[in-house]
Structure formats: C-alpha cells, structure tokens
Amino acid sequence: MQKLLFGTGVATAVFWISATAFAGVLLGKCSLGRVRLGVAGVLFSGLLFAHFGARPDTHLLHFAREFGLILFVYAVGIDVGPRFLTAFRSDGLRLNLLAAAVVIAGFAIAWAFHAYLGVDTPVITGVMSGAVTNTPGLGAAQQLLSEYGGAGDAEIAGMGYALAYPFGIVGIIVTMVLIRFFFGIRIDREVADYNASVNGGQQKLESVTITVANPNLIGQQIGYVRRFIDEELVISRIRRGEDQLIPRDEIALCDGDVLYGVSTADHLDNLRLKIGPTEISGKREISGDLAMFHVLVTCRRTAGRTIEQIGIGRRYEANITRIFRSGMEILPTAGTVVELGDVVRVVGKRELLDDIREELGNSVKELVHPNPAPIFLGIFLGVMLGSVPLAIPGLPVPAKLGMAGGPLLVALFLGFKGRIGSYDFYIAPGASAMLRELGIILFLSCVGLSSGERFVETFNAGGYVWMLYGAVITFVPIFAAAAVARFMQINYLKICGVAAGAMTDPPALEFANGFAPVQAQSTAYATVYPLTMFLRILFAQVLVLTTL
C-alpha cells in the first residue's frame, strides 16, 4: 500500500488521478446558495491531495493533462462544427473583437505591474499566463527566458503560473456569476433569445398551403414542378376534392389542386407568383391511409447520399419533408445530403412505414455503436497542425497553435464537413459528451496534483502578492468586456463562451455549459479560441521581449 500511495509508477498516477476526479466531482455537486463549483471542484481536490502528500510522476501527469485537454477540445469542436460557420458569419467579428480586447487589456495590466510596481519579468510573465490559464503561452515565454534571461527564470515563471492558475479558473467563473446577478439575467430568457436568433438566422421552416392557380402549371407533372421550385418548396401531399394524394412525379396538376408542403417565409412571394395563393397553414392532422412519421438515419449506405440519390419519393408513395440535424431544421431539396444521425420527417402511405424505416436504418443501437476511428484520426491531424511552427515577424521563435488549438480547428472542420467521400466522422452525442467530461476531468485533476505540492508554501512566502496580481489580470479585463458586451445586448450565454474562450479556459466553458443545454456557449468559445490562442502565445513572448 505504501508503494501504491507514494510510488512513482503508473499505478500511483492512476490511483491519485482517479481519487482526485471522484472527490472533485462530488465536491462540484455541493452548492452554496445557487452557485456550484461544478467541474472546477476537481481542481481543488487535486490541490488538496497534493498538499497532503500525493506525488504522482510529473511526466505521467503531464501526459494525462495534455491528453485530457485534447479530448475536451476535440469533443467541443465536433459538437459545434455543424453550425460553426453560420455563427461565425453572424457574430464572429464582434465576438473576436471582444476577445482580443480582453487579451490586450490583460497584457497592458501585466506590463503596468512590471513598469510601475517593479515586478520581475519572469514573475509577471508566469503570473499573466496562469491568470489567463494559457499553458502554450507559458511554454513559449519559458523558452525565451531560458535563452535570454537569467538562470532559473523559466522555473520562476512556472511557479508564478501555478500560483495564478487556480484563480484564473475560479475568477472567470466568479465573473460569470457576478455578471448574471449584476444585470439580473434570467437563463430561461437567454435560452429563448438564443433559440429565436438561431431559428431566425436559419429561416424557420413553415408548413404552407398553396392553391394551384397558374394556368401554365395546369397539366404539368409533379416532377416538372419539383424541378421548378426545388430550392423553395417541398410538397408533402396534394388535396384534390376529397382525396389526399402523395405527389408522385407522374401525377399531373389540375386547376384548384391544393398543395401542402414546407417552405420558408422569404419564399412565399415567389410561390404566390409561380403557383398561386399561398399561406402559412400551421400544423394539420394527417388522417386516412396517409401518415407522418420520423425516421432516424443510421444506415451507412444511405448516409452521405442526396435526397435524389436515395430516391424515397421515386420508389415509394412517400416524401421526405424535413431534416433535423444538430438542432437545425433543413429544407430537403434534391441536392441535400442526408447524414448519419439525421432525423427525417416522412409523409406517405401508412403501410410503407416499416419498409422506409428499414431502408433508412432507424436503429438507435446501430447509431450508438462506437466509432473510434474518426476520433483518433482527428486527434492525429490536430496534433500535427498544432505542432506546425508559425513564423511571426519580430519574434525570435515561431508560435504554435499547440495541443489545444490544433485539435480544435481540425474538429471544427470535421464536424462541419460531416464526411469526406464515403468516410463519415459521426460521433454519437452520448459518446461526445463522455469524451468532453472525461477530458476536462483528466485535465483538472492533473493541474491540481501538479500545482498543490508547493502551493501553500509559496503562498505563505509572499506568493499571495503574485496571486493578487493574477487576480487583477483575470478579473478586470473579463468583467469589463462582459459588462460592455451586455450593454451591447449580446446574449449572456455567448458572453460566457467568449469569456472562457478569451482566457483559453476549458473548465470555465464546462461551467458555462451547465447553465443551459444549448450550444451558444460552446459555439462562442470555438469562434474566438483560435485567434485568442494565437494572441496569448504572441503577447506572452512580447511581454518577455519588452521587459527583460
């Protein structure tokens, strides 16, 4: 038992990481009023165990920490990838400007501490990196300190980082809570506002009723009409007198036919001109031998093919009228690609239900079957990308995206594409959530265990002043930027995501994700993270070069 508790082997590292994770998760569930530590409880349990003698091997902790970080950011990227570009086009500029302002303000405060209070360069560099929880920036700065500074400067920077890091995590969380109470924010309203903005940006799909009145369409077959209005309308069924018809390609339109279908508000005027009187009809009951049903796409032979290639409308008396994907509703045109995990709405003959379900899959068991290959491929490519040196004029060493930035960018790309050729990158939502939780818990466990040994000793020896410097660097820029953003009417959930991204702080993102089960926080985080990571690495090196 003595060897297990105080050894340096793999078993000791696994033992203490597991104990830290377990205790931290329980601590995070404890609440003080309406506030919980959440996943940050893992950090404090690690600090406590390390203070009382837990000494796992530092190399094993470093590996587990970096691997946990990679798993977390990769899962975040895969989750937000499908709607990342949409969010970036709508909010990307102002969110990145806010994040850049946070970075520049933190750098300015750190430089002022050196210039006016005489804080040594290694100390303030480490404190700044810890206050913004940016390990790659610390690494880049330590490399410069080793080359241009004095003996031991890199180690001093590391100690400053360790002291400032805990409040770097907690300070962002505290800021989120303070902004929430200061502005009287109600999460349910923020969720509703976010969902409304997302649906508005996507042109919400509407059920429409169209009466055929254009004489040029009388006698034309449905196949022709579909090609004529493919991007504007999906026809689900036709009412002719008392009969309900499935719109097969060979059916010819008659004067007075009523088309039921799906479109968007911006297409209604065109449909009135092309077909006839059009109105939004709302929900209508489907009776008789017709039915509306939803099918989960789990057949890998079907996934990656277009609506036209699948040919449900050609081979069955049925039509796909909507596609639901990652919280979005998609109008299924002939060229729309169906992906694994999509839910499609089908209107057709009731007796065809089983045949269509069998063709598209509709097997939850198949969908949740582990598909680990895309995860390791994405991590492999991400680590390669993160290791590519980026030469920046004026800096003696190249900057890198690092172990977090590279995998995040690759995951965003793969999540957005969904597939390349016949190879899909689908990860079941449950598996993605598990990756995210496991990754952040591993990361925080190792940070706590690595920092706790000399934490109290350094604090008592005057390190509390360093912590105070770090607290100012953490709190002031984030609180000021968040307050400005709120006055700009930016959604609170997005502000939380920007705050976590501007500080390159995965635990803060996980805490923010606990507010509401929407993607506003993760999408904002991913939107600002690449630029922020670059700026954090750049300014850490600039601080060293301008203060030595």
Side-chain angles (χ1 to χ4, degrees), residues 62 70 130 134 163 199 260 282 326 335 372 411:
H62 179 74
I70 289 171
N134 191 264
L163 283 169
N199 292 334
Y260 296 111
S326 299

Side-chain angles (χ1 to χ4, degrees), residues 21 52 60 139 147 171 181-182 189 193 282 377 408 439 445 447 484 526:
F52 286 106
L60 293 175
E147 186 172 348
F181 285 105
F182 184 78
R189 290 181 179 175
D193 289 345
L377 173 63
L408 177 63
S445 297
V447 169
V484 169

Side-chain angles (χ1 to χ4, degrees), residues 396-419:
V397 293
K400 296 178 182 178
L401 288 173
M403 293 291 188
L408 177 63
L409 288 181
V410 170
L412 287 171
F413 173 76
L414 297 183
F416 173 72
K417 292 290 291 183
R419 68 174 50 249

Side-chain angles (χ1 to χ4, degrees), residues 19-34:
T20 299
F22 176 70
V25 170
L26 292 182
L27 178 62
K29 291 182 178 180
C30 299
S31 59
L32 182 62
R34 297 172 59 187

